[in-house]
Amino acid sequence: MAEKNVFEKIIAGELPCKKVLESPDFLAFEDINPKAPVHVLVVPKVSIKDFNAITPKLSSDINAFILEVVQALGLEQKGYRLVTNVGNDGGQEVPHLHFHILGGAKLTWPKLH
């Protein structure tokens, strides 16, 4: 059996996190290296490598959960950025589907080069 990645360890309760919201299928928690005043990660509790492997049902369900998280964070009116990275060139560091919710300040677009 392959070693668990950091998100799988968090989901299993083997590593601590600052939970924002949890459902039977998803977990939202604060990023340990925030890039904005509010930086929360949303992960499915099942192992999915990245957005390329998402199913329409999972996409619909995680989108609904993300909207719940956004409301819990109070970001729906002021705005936020929602990001998922895919693969090495896309900046994905953990091979487990996850979305970044960034907000709490006016965000600038990152310079890629």
Side-chain angles (χ1 to χ4, degrees), residues 34-39 73-82 101-109:
K35 305 296 186 209
V38 175
H39 188 169
L73 295 169
L75 296 175
E76 68 274 13
Q77 296 300 317
K78 287 192 169 196
Y80 57 95
R81 183 172 294 157
L82 181 63
I101 299 171
L102 301 118
K106 185 164 177 74
L107 302 174
T108 59
W109 192 250

Side-chain angles (χ1 to χ4, degrees), residues 5 7-8 47-50 92-98:
N5 65 53
F7 294 157
E8 291 168 331
S47 276
I48 304 282
K49 182 181 176 192
D50 58 31
Q92 185 177 10
E93 295 178 6
V94 179
H96 188 106
L97 176 65
H98 58 286

Side-chain angles (χ1 to χ4, degrees), residues 10 17-22 27-30:
I10 290 170
C17 73
K18 292 184 181 176
K19 289 182 187 179
V20 173
L21 195 64
E22 185 172 14
L27 178 63
F29 54 93
E30 293 180 11

